[in-house]
PDB file of all heavy atoms in Angstrom:
ATOM      1  N   VAL A  12      76.274 101.133 104.359  1.00  0.00           N
ATOM      2  CA  VAL A  12      75.607 102.081 103.462  1.00  0.00           C
ATOM      3  C   VAL A  12      74.787 101.340 102.404  1.00  0.00           C
ATOM      4  O   VAL A  12      73.612 101.642 102.184  1.00  0.00           O
ATOM      5  CB  VAL A  12      76.651 103.015 102.798  1.00  0.00           C
ATOM      6  CG1 VAL A  12      75.991 103.882 101.733  1.00  0.00           C
ATOM      7  CG2 VAL A  12      77.333 103.886 103.842  1.00  0.00           C
ATOM      8  N   THR A 122      81.239 107.959 100.300  1.00  0.00           N
ATOM      9  CA  THR A 122      81.886 109.266 100.418  1.00  0.00           C
ATOM     10  C   THR A 122      83.147 109.273  99.563  1.00  0.00           C
ATOM     11  O   THR A 122      84.056 108.483  99.787  1.00  0.00           O
ATOM     12  CB  THR A 122      82.230 109.535 101.891  1.00  0.00           C
ATOM     13  OG1 THR A 122      81.012 109.454 102.628  1.00  0.00           O
ATOM     14  CG2 THR A 122      82.851 110.903 102.072  1.00  0.00           C
ATOM     15  N   GLU A 152      75.548 110.119 101.118  1.00  0.00           N
ATOM     16  CA  GLU A 152      74.656 109.673 102.208  1.00  0.00           C
ATOM     17  C   GLU A 152      74.994 110.435 103.479  1.00  0.00           C
ATOM     18  O   GLU A 152      76.131 110.814 103.685  1.00  0.00           O
ATOM     19  CB  GLU A 152      74.785 108.157 102.407  1.00  0.00           C
ATOM     20  CG  GLU A 152      76.201 107.632 102.627  1.00  0.00           C
ATOM     21  CD  GLU A 152      76.675 107.685 104.059  1.00  0.00           C
ATOM     22  OE1 GLU A 152      75.831 107.875 104.949  1.00  0.00           O
ATOM     23  OE2 GLU A 152      77.886 107.562 104.279  1.00  0.00           O
ATOM     24  N   PHE A 153      73.970 110.638 104.312  1.00  0.00           N
ATOM     25  CA  PHE A 153      74.160 111.311 105.601  1.00  0.00           C
ATOM     26  C   PHE A 153      73.623 110.407 106.716  1.00  0.00           C
ATOM     27  O   PHE A 153      72.991 110.867 107.663  1.00  0.00           O
ATOM     28  CB  PHE A 153      73.455 112.674 105.610  1.00  0.00           C
ATOM     29  CG  PHE A 153      73.920 113.586 104.495  1.00  0.00           C
ATOM     30  CD1 PHE A 153      73.159 113.756 103.339  1.00  0.00           C
ATOM     31  CD2 PHE A 153      75.146 114.234 104.582  1.00  0.00           C
ATOM     32  CE1 PHE A 153      73.600 114.584 102.307  1.00  0.00           C
ATOM     33  CE2 PHE A 153      75.598 115.056 103.545  1.00  0.00           C
ATOM     34  CZ  PHE A 153      74.823 115.230 102.413  1.00  0.00           C
ATOM     35  N   LEU A 154      73.853 109.101 106.556  1.00  0.00           N
ATOM     36  CA  LEU A 154      73.282 108.127 107.493  1.00  0.00           C
ATOM     37  C   LEU A 154      74.189 107.937 108.696  1.00  0.00           C
ATOM     38  O   LEU A 154      75.399 107.809 108.540  1.00  0.00           O
ATOM     39  CB  LEU A 154      73.122 106.767 106.791  1.00  0.00           C
ATOM     40  CG  LEU A 154      72.447 106.775 105.419  1.00  0.00           C
ATOM     41  CD1 LEU A 154      72.521 105.390 104.797  1.00  0.00           C
ATOM     42  CD2 LEU A 154      71.004 107.238 105.554  1.00  0.00           C
ATOM     43  N   ARG A 155      73.593 107.906 109.870  1.00  0.00           N
ATOM     44  CA  ARG A 155      74.369 107.583 111.061  1.00  0.00           C
ATOM     45  C   ARG A 155      74.198 106.102 111.372  1.00  0.00           C
ATOM     46  O   ARG A 155      73.065 105.592 111.318  1.00  0.00           O
ATOM     47  CB  ARG A 155      73.868 108.387 112.268  1.00  0.00           C
ATOM     48  CG  ARG A 155      74.273 109.828 112.245  1.00  0.00           C
ATOM     49  CD  ARG A 155      73.436 110.617 113.213  1.00  0.00           C
ATOM     50  NE  ARG A 155      72.028 110.528 112.832  1.00  0.00           N
ATOM     51  CZ  ARG A 155      71.039 111.120 113.495  1.00  0.00           C
ATOM     52  NH1 ARG A 155      71.301 111.812 114.569  1.00  0.00           N
ATOM     53  NH2 ARG A 155      69.791 111.006 113.087  1.00  0.00           N
ATOM     54  N   GLU A 156      75.264 105.444 111.700  1.00  0.00           N
ATOM     55  CA  GLU A 156      75.150 104.036 112.074  1.00  0.00           C
ATOM     56  C   GLU A 156      74.243 103.919 113.287  1.00  0.00           C
ATOM     57  O   GLU A 156      74.266 104.761 114.181  1.00  0.00           O
ATOM     58  CB  GLU A 156      76.527 103.466 112.411  1.00  0.00           C
ATOM     59  CG  GLU A 156      77.278 103.108 111.156  1.00  0.00           C
ATOM     60  CD  GLU A 156      78.621 102.462 111.454  1.00  0.00           C
ATOM     61  OE1 GLU A 156      78.726 101.735 112.446  1.00  0.00           O
ATOM     62  OE2 GLU A 156      79.554 102.721 110.702  1.00  0.00           O
ATOM     63  N   GLY A 157      73.439 102.879 113.319  1.00  0.00           N
ATOM     64  CA  GLY A 157      72.509 102.696 114.429  1.00  0.00           C
ATOM     65  C   GLY A 157      71.137 103.270 114.110  1.00  0.00           C
ATOM     66  O   GLY A 157      70.122 102.700 114.489  1.00  0.00           O
ATOM     67  N   ASP A 162      67.289 107.528 109.287  1.00  0.00           N
ATOM     68  CA  ASP A 162      67.903 108.662 108.580  1.00  0.00           C
ATOM     69  C   ASP A 162      67.608 108.602 107.079  1.00  0.00           C
ATOM     70  O   ASP A 162      67.424 109.625 106.430  1.00  0.00           O
ATOM     71  CB  ASP A 162      69.428 108.676 108.800  1.00  0.00           C
ATOM     72  CG  ASP A 162      69.792 109.030 110.234  1.00  0.00           C
ATOM     73  OD1 ASP A 162      68.920 109.542 110.966  1.00  0.00           O
ATOM     74  OD2 ASP A 162      70.943 108.788 110.629  1.00  0.00           O
ATOM     75  N   LYS A 205      79.251 116.775 101.477  1.00  0.00           N
ATOM     76  CA  LYS A 205      79.446 115.637 102.384  1.00  0.00           C
ATOM     77  C   LYS A 205      80.661 115.857 103.298  1.00  0.00           C
ATOM     78  O   LYS A 205      80.584 115.688 104.521  1.00  0.00           O
ATOM     79  CB  LYS A 205      79.606 114.367 101.550  1.00  0.00           C
ATOM     80  CG  LYS A 205      80.050 113.157 102.322  1.00  0.00           C
ATOM     81  CD  LYS A 205      78.979 112.696 103.280  1.00  0.00           C
ATOM     82  CE  LYS A 205      79.555 111.716 104.281  1.00  0.00           C
ATOM     83  NZ  LYS A 205      78.659 110.717 104.721  1.00  0.00           N
ATOM     84  N   THR A 208      80.151 118.787 105.753  1.00  0.00           N
ATOM     85  CA  THR A 208      79.217 118.434 106.831  1.00  0.00           C
ATOM     86  C   THR A 208      79.925 117.618 107.908  1.00  0.00           C
ATOM     87  O   THR A 208      79.850 117.932 109.101  1.00  0.00           O
ATOM     88  CB  THR A 208      78.021 117.630 106.262  1.00  0.00           C
ATOM     89  OG1 THR A 208      77.358 118.436 105.286  1.00  0.00           O
ATOM     90  CG2 THR A 208      77.040 117.236 107.345  1.00  0.00           C
ATOM     91  N   ASN A 209      80.616 116.553 107.503  1.00  0.00           N
ATOM     92  CA  ASN A 209      81.291 115.718 108.506  1.00  0.00           C
ATOM     93  C   ASN A 209      82.388 116.489 109.228  1.00  0.00           C
ATOM     94  O   ASN A 209      82.580 116.343 110.430  1.00  0.00           O
ATOM     95  CB  ASN A 209      81.855 114.440 107.857  1.00  0.00           C
ATOM     96  CG  ASN A 209      80.803 113.338 107.802  1.00  0.00           C
ATOM     97  OD1 ASN A 209      79.659 113.553 108.183  1.00  0.00           O
ATOM     98  ND2 ASN A 209      81.188 112.167 107.330  1.00  0.00           N
ATOM     99  N   LEU A 212      80.734 118.788 111.786  1.00  0.00           N
ATOM    100  CA  LEU A 212      80.250 118.049 112.967  1.00  0.00           C
ATOM    101  C   LEU A 212      81.418 117.618 113.849  1.00  0.00           C
ATOM    102  O   LEU A 212      81.350 117.709 115.079  1.00  0.00           O
ATOM    103  CB  LEU A 212      79.424 116.827 112.520  1.00  0.00           C
ATOM    104  CG  LEU A 212      78.088 117.163 111.843  1.00  0.00           C
ATOM    105  CD1 LEU A 212      77.462 115.914 111.228  1.00  0.00           C
ATOM    106  CD2 LEU A 212      77.118 117.800 112.845  1.00  0.00           C
ATOM    107  N   ILE A 216      82.269 118.740 117.827  1.00  0.00           N
ATOM    108  CA  ILE A 216      82.610 117.831 118.936  1.00  0.00           C
ATOM    109  C   ILE A 216      83.950 118.244 119.558  1.00  0.00           C
ATOM    110  O   ILE A 216      84.080 118.329 120.781  1.00  0.00           O
ATOM    111  CB  ILE A 216      82.664 116.363 118.453  1.00  0.00           C
ATOM    112  CG1 ILE A 216      81.285 115.924 117.947  1.00  0.00           C
ATOM    113  CG2 ILE A 216      83.130 115.443 119.575  1.00  0.00           C
ATOM    114  CD1 ILE A 216      81.290 114.600 117.203  1.00  0.00           C
ATOM    115  N   VAL A 219      83.490 121.330 121.750  1.00  0.00           N
ATOM    116  CA  VAL A 219      82.911 121.121 123.078  1.00  0.00           C
ATOM    117  C   VAL A 219      83.876 120.342 123.962  1.00  0.00           C
ATOM    118  O   VAL A 219      83.930 120.558 125.185  1.00  0.00           O
ATOM    119  CB  VAL A 219      81.504 120.472 122.985  1.00  0.00           C
ATOM    120  CG1 VAL A 219      81.558 118.969 122.799  1.00  0.00           C
ATOM    121  CG2 VAL A 219      80.689 120.837 124.217  1.00  0.00           C
ATOM    122  N   ASN A 220      84.673 119.463 123.374  1.00  0.00           N
ATOM    123  CA  ASN A 220      85.675 118.750 124.178  1.00  0.00           C
ATOM    124  C   ASN A 220      86.744 119.714 124.695  1.00  0.00           C
ATOM    125  O   ASN A 220      87.236 119.573 125.818  1.00  0.00           O
ATOM    126  CB  ASN A 220      86.310 117.606 123.373  1.00  0.00           C
ATOM    127  CG  ASN A 220      85.384 116.398 123.294  1.00  0.00           C
ATOM    128  OD1 ASN A 220      84.525 116.208 124.162  1.00  0.00           O
ATOM    129  ND2 ASN A 220      85.543 115.583 122.266  1.00  0.00           N
ATOM    130  N   GLU A 249      72.591 119.557 119.097  1.00  0.00           N
ATOM    131  CA  GLU A 249      73.139 118.271 118.687  1.00  0.00           C
ATOM    132  C   GLU A 249      74.652 118.341 118.475  1.00  0.00           C
ATOM    133  O   GLU A 249      75.193 119.381 118.114  1.00  0.00           O
ATOM    134  CB  GLU A 249      72.471 117.800 117.395  1.00  0.00           C
ATOM    135  CG  GLU A 249      71.070 117.297 117.659  1.00  0.00           C
ATOM    136  CD  GLU A 249      70.470 116.635 116.453  1.00  0.00           C
ATOM    137  OE1 GLU A 249      70.883 115.514 116.135  1.00  0.00           O
ATOM    138  OE2 GLU A 249      69.623 117.266 115.823  1.00  0.00           O
ATOM    139  N   PHE A 250      75.299 117.206 118.718  1.00  0.00           N
ATOM    140  CA  PHE A 250      76.761 117.101 118.543  1.00  0.00           C
ATOM    141  C   PHE A 250      77.528 118.055 119.445  1.00  0.00           C
ATOM    142  O   PHE A 250      78.586 118.551 119.094  1.00  0.00           O
ATOM    143  CB  PHE A 250      77.143 117.255 117.060  1.00  0.00           C
ATOM    144  CG  PHE A 250      76.930 115.960 116.331  1.00  0.00           C
ATOM    145  CD1 PHE A 250      75.643 115.504 116.099  1.00  0.00           C
ATOM    146  CD2 PHE A 250      77.985 115.167 115.947  1.00  0.00           C
ATOM    147  CE1 PHE A 250      75.410 114.281 115.489  1.00  0.00           C
ATOM    148  CE2 PHE A 250      77.775 113.942 115.338  1.00  0.00           C
ATOM    149  CZ  PHE A 250      76.477 113.498 115.106  1.00  0.00           C
ATOM    150  N   LEU A 251      76.965 118.269 120.628  1.00  0.00           N
ATOM    151  CA  LEU A 251      77.664 119.059 121.648  1.00  0.00           C
ATOM    152  C   LEU A 251      77.882 118.206 122.897  1.00  0.00           C
ATOM    153  O   LEU A 251      78.010 118.747 123.987  1.00  0.00           O
ATOM    154  CB  LEU A 251      76.861 120.306 122.017  1.00  0.00           C
ATOM    155  CG  LEU A 251      77.008 121.533 121.109  1.00  0.00           C
ATOM    156  CD1 LEU A 251      76.260 122.722 121.702  1.00  0.00           C
ATOM    157  CD2 LEU A 251      78.476 121.916 120.888  1.00  0.00           C
ATOM    158  N   HIS A 252      77.902 116.879 122.719  1.00  0.00           N
ATOM    159  CA  HIS A 252      78.145 116.024 123.885  1.00  0.00           C
ATOM    160  C   HIS A 252      79.629 115.755 124.009  1.00  0.00           C
ATOM    161  O   HIS A 252      80.237 115.167 123.109  1.00  0.00           O
ATOM    162  CB  HIS A 252      77.395 114.697 123.753  1.00  0.00           C
ATOM    163  CG  HIS A 252      75.924 114.885 123.597  1.00  0.00           C
ATOM    164  ND1 HIS A 252      75.125 115.313 124.627  1.00  0.00           N
ATOM    165  CD2 HIS A 252      75.121 114.765 122.518  1.00  0.00           C
ATOM    166  CE1 HIS A 252      73.880 115.431 124.192  1.00  0.00           C
ATOM    167  NE2 HIS A 252      73.852 115.109 122.909  1.00  0.00           N
ATOM    168  N   PRO A 253      80.227 116.170 125.132  1.00  0.00           N
ATOM    169  CA  PRO A 253      81.644 115.892 125.303  1.00  0.00           C
ATOM    170  C   PRO A 253      81.867 114.397 125.506  1.00  0.00           C
ATOM    171  O   PRO A 253      80.935 113.679 125.892  1.00  0.00           O
ATOM    172  CB  PRO A 253      82.006 116.680 126.559  1.00  0.00           C
ATOM    173  CG  PRO A 253      80.739 116.835 127.303  1.00  0.00           C
ATOM    174  CD  PRO A 253      79.634 116.842 126.294  1.00  0.00           C
ATOM    175  N   GLY A 254      83.034 113.923 125.250  1.00  0.00           N
ATOM    176  CA  GLY A 254      83.314 112.502 125.402  1.00  0.00           C
ATOM    177  C   GLY A 254      84.791 112.226 125.245  1.00  0.00           C
ATOM    178  O   GLY A 254      85.624 113.130 125.407  1.00  0.00           O
ATOM    179  N   PRO A 255      85.112 110.985 124.875  1.00  0.00           N
ATOM    180  CA  PRO A 255      86.527 110.619 124.746  1.00  0.00           C
ATOM    181  C   PRO A 255      87.119 111.043 123.399  1.00  0.00           C
ATOM    182  O   PRO A 255      88.237 110.663 123.064  1.00  0.00           O
ATOM    183  CB  PRO A 255      86.484 109.092 124.845  1.00  0.00           C
ATOM    184  CG  PRO A 255      85.142 108.732 124.280  1.00  0.00           C
ATOM    185  CD  PRO A 255      84.207 109.848 124.667  1.00  0.00           C
ATOM    186  N   GLY A 256      86.359 111.822 122.630  1.00  0.00           N
ATOM    187  CA  GLY A 256      86.793 112.163 121.263  1.00  0.00           C
ATOM    188  C   GLY A 256      85.994 111.333 120.283  1.00  0.00           C
ATOM    189  O   GLY A 256      85.554 110.234 120.607  1.00  0.00           O
ATOM    190  N   TYR A 257      85.768 111.893 119.092  1.00  0.00           N
ATOM    191  CA  TYR A 257      84.965 111.155 118.113  1.00  0.00           C
ATOM    192  C   TYR A 257      85.761 110.007 117.498  1.00  0.00           C
ATOM    193  O   TYR A 257      86.989 110.007 117.505  1.00  0.00           O
ATOM    194  CB  TYR A 257      84.448 112.097 117.015  1.00  0.00           C
ATOM    195  CG  TYR A 257      85.541 112.814 116.240  1.00  0.00           C
ATOM    196  CD1 TYR A 257      86.278 112.172 115.256  1.00  0.00           C
ATOM    197  CD2 TYR A 257      85.842 114.143 116.514  1.00  0.00           C
ATOM    198  CE1 TYR A 257      87.279 112.824 114.555  1.00  0.00           C
ATOM    199  CE2 TYR A 257      86.841 114.809 115.814  1.00  0.00           C
ATOM    200  CZ  TYR A 257      87.563 114.137 114.842  1.00  0.00           C
ATOM    201  OH  TYR A 257      88.558 114.768 114.158  1.00  0.00           O
ATOM    202  N   GLY A 258      85.019 109.027 116.975  1.00  0.00           N
ATOM    203  CA  GLY A 258      85.647 107.899 116.285  1.00  0.00           C
ATOM    204  C   GLY A 258      84.713 107.410 115.205  1.00  0.00           C
ATOM    205  O   GLY A 258      83.880 108.164 114.709  1.00  0.00           O
ATOM    206  N   GLY A 259      84.837 106.114 114.858  1.00  0.00           N
ATOM    207  CA  GLY A 259      83.964 105.531 113.852  1.00  0.00           C
ATOM    208  C   GLY A 259      84.614 105.518 112.478  1.00  0.00           C
ATOM    209  O   GLY A 259      85.733 105.990 112.290  1.00  0.00           O
ATOM    210  N   SER A 260      83.852 105.009 111.531  1.00  0.00           N
ATOM    211  CA  SER A 260      84.435 104.780 110.206  1.00  0.00           C
ATOM    212  C   SER A 260      84.398 106.042 109.345  1.00  0.00           C
ATOM    213  O   SER A 260      84.883 106.021 108.216  1.00  0.00           O
ATOM    214  CB  SER A 260      83.676 103.662 109.496  1.00  0.00           C
ATOM    215  OG  SER A 260      82.358 104.100 109.230  1.00  0.00           O
ATOM    216  N   CYS A 261      83.823 107.143 109.849  1.00  0.00           N
ATOM    217  CA  CYS A 261      83.621 108.296 108.961  1.00  0.00           C
ATOM    218  C   CYS A 261      84.415 109.530 109.360  1.00  0.00           C
ATOM    219  O   CYS A 261      85.209 110.036 108.569  1.00  0.00           O
ATOM    220  CB  CYS A 261      82.143 108.636 108.903  1.00  0.00           C
ATOM    221  SG  CYS A 261      81.143 107.245 108.380  1.00  0.00           S
ATOM    222  N   PHE A 262      84.216 110.064 110.557  1.00  0.00           N
ATOM    223  CA  PHE A 262      84.841 111.346 110.903  1.00  0.00           C
ATOM    224  C   PHE A 262      86.370 111.310 110.803  1.00  0.00           C
ATOM    225  O   PHE A 262      86.950 112.213 110.180  1.00  0.00           O
ATOM    226  CB  PHE A 262      84.404 111.810 112.302  1.00  0.00           C
ATOM    227  CG  PHE A 262      82.978 112.304 112.381  1.00  0.00           C
ATOM    228  CD1 PHE A 262      82.427 112.669 113.601  1.00  0.00           C
ATOM    229  CD2 PHE A 262      82.185 112.415 111.251  1.00  0.00           C
ATOM    230  CE1 PHE A 262      81.115 113.123 113.686  1.00  0.00           C
ATOM    231  CE2 PHE A 262      80.878 112.863 111.318  1.00  0.00           C
ATOM    232  CZ  PHE A 262      80.348 113.214 112.544  1.00  0.00           C
ATOM    233  N   ASP A 265      87.193 110.994 107.010  1.00  0.00           N
ATOM    234  CA  ASP A 265      86.755 112.107 106.159  1.00  0.00           C
ATOM    235  C   ASP A 265      87.495 113.405 106.490  1.00  0.00           C
ATOM    236  O   ASP A 265      87.753 114.221 105.602  1.00  0.00           O
ATOM    237  CB  ASP A 265      85.237 112.305 106.268  1.00  0.00           C
ATOM    238  CG  ASP A 265      84.468 111.133 105.658  1.00  0.00           C
ATOM    239  OD1 ASP A 265      85.113 110.283 105.013  1.00  0.00           O
ATOM    240  OD2 ASP A 265      83.245 111.062 105.834  1.00  0.00           O
ATOM    241  N   PHE A 321      82.214 102.147 118.847  1.00  0.00           N
ATOM    242  CA  PHE A 321      82.596 103.568 118.762  1.00  0.00           C
ATOM    243  C   PHE A 321      81.498 104.499 119.266  1.00  0.00           C
ATOM    244  O   PHE A 321      81.754 105.654 119.565  1.00  0.00           O
ATOM    245  CB  PHE A 321      83.065 103.936 117.352  1.00  0.00           C
ATOM    246  CG  PHE A 321      81.982 104.261 116.363  1.00  0.00           C
ATOM    247  CD1 PHE A 321      81.624 105.572 116.100  1.00  0.00           C
ATOM    248  CD2 PHE A 321      81.338 103.253 115.656  1.00  0.00           C
ATOM    249  CE1 PHE A 321      80.632 105.889 115.168  1.00  0.00           C
ATOM    250  CE2 PHE A 321      80.333 103.553 114.730  1.00  0.00           C
ATOM    251  CZ  PHE A 321      79.983 104.872 114.496  1.00  0.00           C
ATOM    252  N   LYS A 322      80.292 103.966 119.340  1.00  0.00           N
ATOM    253  CA  LYS A 322      79.200 104.676 120.004  1.00  0.00           C
ATOM    254  C   LYS A 322      78.159 103.620 120.346  1.00  0.00           C
ATOM    255  O   LYS A 322      78.278 102.464 119.918  1.00  0.00           O
ATOM    256  CB  LYS A 322      78.616 105.766 119.101  1.00  0.00           C
ATOM    257  CG  LYS A 322      77.995 105.243 117.823  1.00  0.00           C
ATOM    258  CD  LYS A 322      77.325 106.362 117.041  1.00  0.00           C
ATOM    259  CE  LYS A 322      76.642 105.792 115.811  1.00  0.00           C
ATOM    260  NZ  LYS A 322      75.967 106.795 115.020  1.00  0.00           N
ATOM    261  N   ASP A 330      87.881 102.385 114.343  1.00  0.00           N
ATOM    262  CA  ASP A 330      88.346 103.648 114.914  1.00  0.00           C
ATOM    263  C   ASP A 330      87.592 104.032 116.183  1.00  0.00           C
ATOM    264  O   ASP A 330      87.292 105.211 116.410  1.00  0.00           O
ATOM    265  CB  ASP A 330      88.221 104.787 113.882  1.00  0.00           C
ATOM    266  CG  ASP A 330      89.587 105.112 113.275  1.00  0.00           C
ATOM    267  OD1 ASP A 330      90.551 105.173 114.037  1.00  0.00           O
ATOM    268  OD2 ASP A 330      89.659 105.290 112.043  1.00  0.00           O
ATOM    269  N   PRO A 332      87.085 105.052 119.910  1.00  0.00           N
ATOM    270  CA  PRO A 332      87.897 105.601 120.999  1.00  0.00           C
ATOM    271  C   PRO A 332      88.109 104.565 122.113  1.00  0.00           C
ATOM    272  O   PRO A 332      89.154 104.556 122.760  1.00  0.00           O
ATOM    273  CB  PRO A 332      87.063 106.773 121.516  1.00  0.00           C
ATOM    274  CG  PRO A 332      86.123 107.112 120.426  1.00  0.00           C
ATOM    275  CD  PRO A 332      85.885 105.860 119.649  1.00  0.00           C
ATOM    276  N   GLU A 386      78.535 104.753 125.443  1.00  0.00           N
ATOM    277  CA  GLU A 386      77.367 105.212 126.223  1.00  0.00           C
ATOM    278  C   GLU A 386      76.159 104.291 126.098  1.00  0.00           C
ATOM    279  O   GLU A 386      75.025 104.750 125.891  1.00  0.00           O
ATOM    280  CB  GLU A 386      77.027 106.657 125.820  1.00  0.00           C
ATOM    281  CG  GLU A 386      76.382 106.875 124.443  1.00  0.00           C
ATOM    282  CD  GLU A 386      77.328 106.786 123.262  1.00  0.00           C
ATOM    283  OE1 GLU A 386      78.407 106.180 123.373  1.00  0.00           O
ATOM    284  OE2 GLU A 386      76.962 107.318 122.184  1.00  0.00           O
ATOM    285  N   ARG A 411      81.919 109.198 129.031  1.00  0.00           N
ATOM    286  CA  ARG A 411      80.723 109.634 128.295  1.00  0.00           C
ATOM    287  C   ARG A 411      79.765 110.446 129.160  1.00  0.00           C
ATOM    288  O   ARG A 411      78.647 110.725 128.718  1.00  0.00           O
ATOM    289  CB  ARG A 411      79.984 108.409 127.748  1.00  0.00           C
ATOM    290  CG  ARG A 411      80.813 107.546 126.808  1.00  0.00           C
ATOM    291  CD  ARG A 411      80.894 108.188 125.447  1.00  0.00           C
ATOM    292  NE  ARG A 411      81.570 107.313 124.488  1.00  0.00           N
ATOM    293  CZ  ARG A 411      81.533 107.504 123.186  1.00  0.00           C
ATOM    294  NH1 ARG A 411      80.862 108.510 122.672  1.00  0.00           N
ATOM    295  NH2 ARG A 411      82.169 106.692 122.377  1.00  0.00           N
TER     296      ARG A 411
HETATM  297  C1  UGA B   1      78.572 110.180 110.857  1.00  0.00           C
HETATM  298  C2  UGA B   1      77.600 111.333 110.531  1.00  0.00           C
HETATM  299  O1  UGA B   1      76.885 111.716 111.711  1.00  0.00           O
HETATM  300  C3  UGA B   1      76.606 110.908 109.440  1.00  0.00           C
HETATM  301  O2  UGA B   1      75.766 111.987 109.111  1.00  0.00           O
HETATM  302  C4  UGA B   1      77.402 110.469 108.207  1.00  0.00           C
HETATM  303  O3  UGA B   1      76.558 110.018 107.181  1.00  0.00           O
HETATM  304  C5  UGA B   1      78.333 109.324 108.603  1.00  0.00           C
HETATM  305  O4  UGA B   1      79.218 109.775 109.647  1.00  0.00           O
HETATM  306  C6  UGA B   1      79.113 108.947 107.370  1.00  0.00           C
HETATM  307  O5  UGA B   1      79.886 109.774 106.883  1.00  0.00           O
HETATM  308  O6  UGA B   1      78.851 107.883 106.808  1.00  0.00           O
HETATM  309  P1  UGA B   1      78.445 107.974 112.357  1.00  0.00           P
HETATM  310  O7  UGA B   1      79.913 107.840 112.092  1.00  0.00           O
HETATM  311  O8  UGA B   1      77.571 106.783 112.200  1.00  0.00           O
HETATM  312  O9  UGA B   1      77.816 109.115 111.416  1.00  0.00           O
HETATM  313  O10 UGA B   1      78.297 108.435 113.863  1.00  0.00           O
HETATM  314  P2  UGA B   1      77.963 109.778 114.668  1.00  0.00           P
HETATM  315  O11 UGA B   1      76.704 109.573 115.392  1.00  0.00           O
HETATM  316  O12 UGA B   1      78.109 110.972 113.843  1.00  0.00           O
HETATM  317  O13 UGA B   1      79.158 109.754 115.748  1.00  0.00           O
HETATM  318  C7  UGA B   1      80.518 109.869 115.342  1.00  0.00           C
HETATM  319  C8  UGA B   1      81.416 109.940 116.557  1.00  0.00           C
HETATM  320  O14 UGA B   1      81.245 111.185 117.236  1.00  0.00           O
HETATM  321  C9  UGA B   1      81.161 108.868 117.604  1.00  0.00           C
HETATM  322  O15 UGA B   1      82.396 108.414 118.128  1.00  0.00           O
HETATM  323  C10 UGA B   1      80.348 109.585 118.660  1.00  0.00           C
HETATM  324  O16 UGA B   1      80.461 109.017 119.952  1.00  0.00           O
HETATM  325  C11 UGA B   1      80.987 110.966 118.617  1.00  0.00           C
HETATM  326  N1  UGA B   1      80.109 112.039 119.113  1.00  0.00           N
HETATM  327  C12 UGA B   1      78.952 112.342 118.462  1.00  0.00           C
HETATM  328  C13 UGA B   1      80.489 112.771 120.230  1.00  0.00           C
HETATM  329  O17 UGA B   1      81.549 112.525 120.846  1.00  0.00           O
HETATM  330  N2  UGA B   1      79.685 113.800 120.651  1.00  0.00           N
HETATM  331  C14 UGA B   1      78.527 114.114 120.028  1.00  0.00           C
HETATM  332  O18 UGA B   1      77.856 115.074 120.467  1.00  0.00           O
HETATM  333  C15 UGA B   1      78.152 113.371 118.897  1.00  0.00           C
END
Side-chain angles (χ1 to χ4, degrees):
V12 173
T122 303
E152 54 85 14
F153 303 101
L154 311 173
R155 285 164 299 180
E156 280 183 34
D162 291 345
K205 170 68 194 212
T208 300
N209 274 3
L212 292 170
I216 297 169
V219 82
N220 282 335
E249 285 189 74
F250 279 70
L251 277 186
H252 302 289
Y257 59 77
S260 66
C261 304
F262 287 176
D265 292 351
F321 83 97
K322 62 175 183 179
D330 257 317
E386 73 283 21
R411 301 283 186 166

